[in-house]
Amino acid sequence: MPGSHSGMGFSGAGGRYFSLCALYLFVYYGFGAFSPLITQYYNSISLTGTQIGLISAVAPVVSIVAQPMWGVFCDRFQIRKTILILTLVASGLLGLFFIGVSAFAVVFLLSMILSFFQSAVTPISDSLALGYAKNHGLQFGDIRLWGAVGFAIAAFVTGLLVEQWGPSVLFYSYCLALLVATLFLLRVPDESSQETPRFRVGMLAGMRDLLRIPRYLLFLLASFFVLGAVNANNIWFSLFYQEIGGSVAGVGLAFLLFAGSEAPFMKLAGFFVRKWGLELTLLLAAVFGAARWLWYSSAPSTTLVIALFFIQGISVGFYLATAAQFVRENTPASLQVTALAIFLSVGGGLGTMLCNLAAGWIKDSFSTLGIYLFFGIITVIGIIPLALIAYGPWKQPAPDEKSDAIQ
């Protein structure tokens, strides 16, 4: 029965659902061990703010090319699970190559190679989860929330370990988590044959078809600004928190609470989507995000930053839980992975690249408080296309777009 997973063995539907949730838990545990504390490693090898910004911008630049490429490859040959296994193993093992490296050029090169494989992980895993959720009558947010749980636990535990044993421990944690995620992925079904027709158009033709959908284009523009700031915050928050008086262990505690708050709000996202719709839920998330960054730029106390941790749940949790669903419902079914990949390469790629490059320059020229003022301003800009989607002439999908999206 769709949506029923209780009372089944690990080998049945319940076991497959458990494996999918565990996949998200460990994939994002790896990300949580890596992203929030990577600046501690950069500081330990004496990189400047500009150099940190350049390295942090590598992943977005690579993903701009790599994510659509991975997406089109998966859609054409229907081998999402195989590609995800290969990229998880490669990403985990590459993380170990950072240990003992201190030269900027080598770190830059390693980051570029790592980003190539990492860029496949999120769009493919989201596509697998979206397909499973659709076929079994589930909410995507109920699966995705386990990623928030994993990220939160990893940031806290790794923060304590880094303070005790140094930055290199984060690379061991990252590698181990992705390898464990791969073991669970082996039990996750790839239901692409049940949910989508085989991709039959060329890469450029498919991308051209997607970029002709107004709601999708506006959403890409919004995500460029909104997700750019969200993703860049994972890199710069550690320095910001220490500037306002916090410790490295405190950074881990902050991310535990921040990312942990995403899980319940991802669970609530389905309720708000049913009550208000995808558009207003996304708009609410962006408004809270802009308010958060502008408030951070005023140098609040660490106590208040921790006490108001749930703001991340509202802003990031709502946005991440509903963004993939918005893409799915507003793009043709035959281009699902490609549409997700382009969305992530714009928000997680171009937007994050802009934010990290600008943040590195702002840190060297002004302070980390200026970084968060910049994040707040560009998130406000991102609210504009979301408002157009919710209230403008594209409030509802055009009939031909809607019929394509639900095939």
Side-chain angles (χ1 to χ4, degrees):
M1 295 290 292
S4 178
H5 295 273
S6 60
M8 300 183 183
F10 186 78
S11 60
R16 292 190 292 272
Y17 178 73
F18 173 84
S19 297
L20 189 55
C21 293
L23 169 68
Y24 270 85
L25 178 73
F26 284 100
V27 164
Y28 282 88
Y29 187 102
F31 292 165
F34 193 93
S35 298
L37 295 161
I38 190 65
T39 49
Q40 302 304 315
Y41 162 70
Y42 295 149
N43 275 343
S44 72
I45 59 175
S46 303
L47 297 184
T48 67
T50 300
Q51 288 174 325
I52 294 172
L54 286 170
I55 293 173
S56 300
V58 161
V61 171
V62 172
S63 72
I64 292 166
V65 176
Q67 279 181 327
M69 183 203 73
W70 289 120
V72 170
F73 194 73
C74 290
D75 283 334
R76 178 175 291 279
F77 298 105
Q78 298 295 305
I79 52 171
R80 297 183 295 185
K81 185 173 173 179
T82 301
I83 294 297
L84 186 54
I85 290 171
L86 292 174
T87 52
L88 280 173
V89 172
S91 298
L93 295 178
L94 277 167
L96 299 179
F97 283 80
F98 285 83
I99 299 171
V101 172
S102 59
F104 166 71
V106 179
V107 175
F108 188 88
L109 178 62
L110 283 175
S111 298
M112 184 179 298
I113 299 171
L114 178 64
S115 300
F116 176 75
F117 291 102
Q118 276 185 337
S119 64
V121 174
T122 300
I124 299 177
S125 57
D126 282 356
S127 179
L128 288 171
L130 283 163
Y132 188 88
K134 179 185 177 183
N135 289 336
H136 296 271
L138 303 170
Q139 288 289 329
F140 170 70
D142 291 346
I143 300 171
R144 177 60 180 80
L145 66 84
W146 288 102
V149 172
F151 194 101
I153 296 172
F156 176 65
V157 173
T158 310
L160 295 176
L161 295 177
V162 166
E163 192 163 62
Q164 183 70 30
W165 287 300
S168 63
V169 73
L170 71 89
F171 300 112
Y172 292 111
S173 299
Y174 169 76
C175 177
L176 181 61
L178 293 196
L179 294 180
V180 172
T182 305
L183 297 178
F184 284 102
L185 175 59
L186 296 174
R187 303 187 64 89
V188 172
D190 185 349
E191 303 188 0
S192 57
S193 60
Q194 301 177 34
E195 63 161 349
T196 62
R198 185 173 290 275
F199 179 83
R200 297 186 183 278
V201 298
M203 176 176 177
L204 293 179
M207 293 177 67
R208 187 166 57 247
D209 289 343
L210 289 170
L211 297 179
R212 288 173 177 168
I213 304 172
R215 284 165 62 85
Y216 181 66
L217 268 179
L218 285 169
F219 186 63
L220 290 181
L221 181 61
S223 297
F224 172 85
F225 295 109
V226 175
L227 288 184
V230 167
N231 291 325
N233 170 65
N234 290 336
I235 298 295
W236 298 100
F237 179 83
S238 175
L239 300 182
F240 160 76
Y241 191 77
Q242 290 177 81
E243 182 168 317
I244 61 174
S247 64
V248 176
V251 172
L253 174 61
F255 270 104
L256 171 67
L257 295 173
F258 291 162
S261 74
E262 293 176 19
F265 282 99
M266 285 181 176
K267 184 75 174 177
L268 284 172
F271 169 78
F272 283 95
V273 168
R274 289 189 295 271
K275 185 176 180 63
W276 294 347
L278 283 168
E279 297 88 345
L280 290 182
T281 304
L282 288 164
L283 187 59
L284 173 70
V287 169
F288 269 85
R292 178 191 182 192
W293 307 139
L294 293 173
W295 175 55
Y296 278 10
S297 71
S298 68
S301 69
T302 56
T303 302
L304 277 178
V305 168
I306 295 294
L308 297 179
F309 69 93
F310 58 86
I311 297 177
Q312 173 148 333
I314 300 173
S315 57
V316 181
F318 275 4
Y319 204 94
L320 293 180
T322 54
Q325 186 178 345
F326 182 92
V327 171
R328 182 185 183 90
E329 293 185 8
N330 288 275
T331 58
S334 60
L335 296 171
Q336 217 78 102
V337 182
T338 305
L340 284 166
I342 293 173
F343 152 67
L344 289 167
S345 69
V346 170
L350 284 170
T352 307
M353 176 189 69
L354 167 68
C355 287
N356 281 325
L357 287 174
W361 176 79
I362 292 170
K363 178 185 180 296
D364 285 343
S365 302
F366 302 99
S367 69
T368 54
L369 297 179
I371 292 174
Y372 282 87
L373 176 61
F374 171 72
F375 288 172
I377 291 171
I378 65 168
T379 304
V380 169
I381 296 172
I383 290 172
I384 298 171
L386 289 176
L388 289 174
I389 291 172
Y391 299 107
W394 303 283
K395 182 176 181 181
Q396 296 295 333
D400 57 333
E401 293 172 14
K402 190 172 182 179
S403 62
D404 281 343
I406 62 176
Q407 285 177 0

